[in-house]
Amino acid sequence: MTHSNRMETLVLDKLGEAIPGLLGFVASGLVLGAALWAAYRVLLGNRPDLDPDKKLSRQLFMVFFALVALVLLTLALPVDETIRNQILSLIGIVLSGLVAFSSTAIVGNLMAGLMMRFTKPFRVGDFVQVEEFFGRVTETGLLDTEFQTEHRELIAFPNSYLISHPVTVTRSSGTIVSAQLSLGFDVHHLTIEKLLLEAVKKTELEDGFVQIIQIGDFSVSYRVSGLLTEVKSLISTRSRLLGHVLDTLHEAGVEILSPNFMAQRPQPDGLKMIPVASEKQAPVKKKHEESPESVIFDKAEEAEAVHEQIQTIQKSIQDLRDQRETCENAEKDRIDQELETLNERLEALQNSKNKDEGASSNH
């Protein structure tokens, strides 16, 4: 046998040994690819009714599944074990490098965003207080959370900042609205308490109460409070409570001059510093006047409305799906049409929400 014949025979033998391995590798790739596609279809495909929390958990599962599939495909490579181990080490180095070279701030904010998705300390539309900042939540993302302040400004807080600082959330079921003032010792505290409770009643707050919080050298400090059940009117209700406190005390002849009062002009004896409102000074109420909150928190109001619509449609879709499993065939066609309509509405709302969030991030 010549040298060329021996080489040809050797090549054919090598190919014969490699073909089963290649076929096994191709078969493994097809099986893993089909499994990934099936998992995507089941978890995420054609599921606009998923809320962000469920969608996020399924996306994380898909990422984990893809990494496992990559490792299994590497193990199926028809190569020597040494080369296979080197490839696995290379994959590990690449993944470690992605984490290591990523900004620690990004990783920290991402982990904080995931934590907040599970703990849910607040939702879109809630009133929140973070340090000296007060406003309403307009967007909740994986890296940051956007608030709209009392000055109609939009502030994006990194999620790592929110989990490392106390966050005060106003309960949607109601909150306490208070006003604090100091008065002189010349009026009995029981008289003041009765007048302040009258101001709470005029403001339409529930369960009003008055506290004496300090007895100072020159004045007595009072705090009047009441329960506000409609928290969306928090800003305007605080203002109305202060106004009613002023009106009630002045109408009763109680001067608000403490803790210190200085007047440079000579005043007649017995003059009380109580303003008297005339008809021209009385505020004019408009029938269709918008509340301050609708102007201050316009984006928060829109975001909360869209969020509530999405949740309502998602619940309706789930109810129809449960109903479809137990109904007769004649009813299934009607339910399918309703599901299609609801899915279209849900997709349109989510697309509109994503466009608004994209436009906000560009600004």
Side-chain angles (χ1 to χ4, degrees):
M1 182 180 293
T2 62
H3 178 71
S4 61
N5 290 335
R6 288 198 301 270
M7 290 296 295
E8 184 177 352
T9 302
L10 182 61
V11 170
L12 291 175
D13 291 340
K14 291 290 184 181
L15 287 175
E17 295 175 359
I19 286 175
L22 289 173
L23 292 177
F25 175 74
V26 172
S28 299
L30 292 175
V31 171
L32 290 173
L36 282 173
W37 180 83
Y40 175 80
R41 294 288 298 176
V42 171
L43 296 175
L44 297 172
N46 298 324
R47 294 298 303 274
D49 58 306
L50 289 176
D51 59 70
D53 295 330
K54 290 183 179 179
K55 189 173 183 180
L56 175 63
S57 61
R58 298 187 181 203
Q59 288 172 337
L60 292 175
F61 178 78
M62 284 300 304
V63 172
F64 174 76
F65 195 11
L67 292 176
V68 172
L70 179 62
V71 173
L72 293 177
L73 193 62
T74 303
L75 293 175
L77 281 172
V79 295
D80 294 337
E81 185 176 355
T82 303
I83 299 176
R84 189 182 299 115
N85 292 335
Q86 290 176 350
I87 295 175
L88 291 174
S89 299
L90 179 61
I91 294 174
I93 291 172
V94 171
L95 293 176
S96 301
L98 290 175
V99 176
F101 286 104
S102 298
S103 172
T104 55
I106 294 177
V107 174
N109 288 322
L110 180 60
M111 297 305 295
L114 292 174
M115 180 175 132
M116 291 170 60
R117 287 295 178 94
F118 292 107
T119 58
K120 297 180 181 179
F122 47 74
R123 64 180 183 86
V124 173
D126 283 346
F127 284 92
V128 291
Q129 175 89 37
V130 183
E131 297 291 325
E132 71 273 16
F133 300 101
F134 176 78
R136 293 183 67 182
V137 180
T138 57
E139 294 178 15
T140 55
L142 283 178
L143 297 178
D144 59 16
T145 300
E146 186 183 79
F147 294 171
Q148 189 169 24
T149 69
E150 292 180 86
H151 303 289
R152 206 169 174 268
E153 300 168 340
L154 299 175
I155 301 179
F157 289 92
N159 287 333
S160 58
Y161 181 87
L162 295 179
I163 65 171
S164 60
H165 291 78
V167 179
T168 303
V169 182
T170 300
R171 297 179 60 184
S172 59
S173 59
T175 186
I176 298 297
V177 178
S178 301
Q180 188 171 322
L181 72 160
S182 299
L183 299 173
F185 290 95
D186 56 326
V187 184
H188 198 278
H189 68 89
L190 293 179
T191 302
I192 298 300
E193 180 176 354
K194 180 180 179 181
L195 295 174
L196 293 180
L197 289 176
E198 184 179 344
V200 170
K201 186 177 180 180
K202 290 181 179 178
T203 316
E204 298 179 352
L205 296 175
E206 301 177 7
D207 302 327
F209 58 92
V210 178
Q211 299 168 286
I212 300 176
I213 58 177
Q214 186 179 5
I215 299 177
D217 295 333
F218 306 100
S219 60
V220 181
S221 297
Y222 299 88
R223 180 187 292 128
V224 55
S225 308
L227 176 63
L228 174 66
T229 56
E230 183 55 49
V231 296
K232 289 185 178 181
S233 61
L234 177 61
I235 304 298
S236 58
T237 301
R238 284 176 178 171
S239 177
R240 289 192 295 112
L241 177 59
L242 292 172
H244 288 140
V245 167
L246 288 173
D247 293 340
T248 304
L249 293 177
H250 286 162
E251 289 172 2
V254 178
E255 293 180 285
I256 307 176
L257 303 179
S258 56
N260 294 309
F261 178 75
M262 179 180 294
Q264 297 295 331
R265 295 174 298 170
Q267 302 291 346
D269 294 338
L271 176 65
K272 290 187 175 182
M273 306 302 295
I274 299 177
V276 179
S278 64
E279 294 182 358
K280 294 182 179 180
Q281 294 171 326
V284 178
K285 295 184 179 180
K286 299 179 181 179
K287 293 183 179 180
H288 304 288
E289 184 179 8
E290 292 185 351
S291 64
E293 288 81 7
S294 63
V295 178
I296 296 173
F297 301 115
D298 58 334
K299 184 175 181 180
E301 292 279 357
E302 294 174 4
E304 184 181 23
V306 172
H307 183 73
E308 290 177 352
Q309 289 181 42
I310 290 176
Q311 286 188 326
T312 301
I313 294 177
Q314 288 173 341
K315 186 178 183 303
S316 300
I317 290 175
Q318 187 60 45
D319 292 341
L320 286 174
R321 283 179 174 169
D322 295 339
Q323 182 181 350
R324 189 181 187 278
E325 294 178 358
T326 58
C327 69
E328 298 179 355
N329 293 331
E331 289 289 321
K332 288 184 178 180
D333 293 337
R334 179 187 63 80
I335 293 177
D336 289 339
Q337 292 179 356
E338 293 184 11
L339 284 172
E340 183 178 358
T341 302
L342 289 175
N343 281 320
E344 290 176 355
R345 288 176 56 193
L346 182 59
E347 186 175 359
L349 283 172
Q350 290 178 336
N351 290 336
S352 175
K353 179 182 176 181
N354 293 334
K355 287 181 181 178
D356 292 340
E357 291 178 355
S360 174
S361 61
N362 292 333
H363 289 296

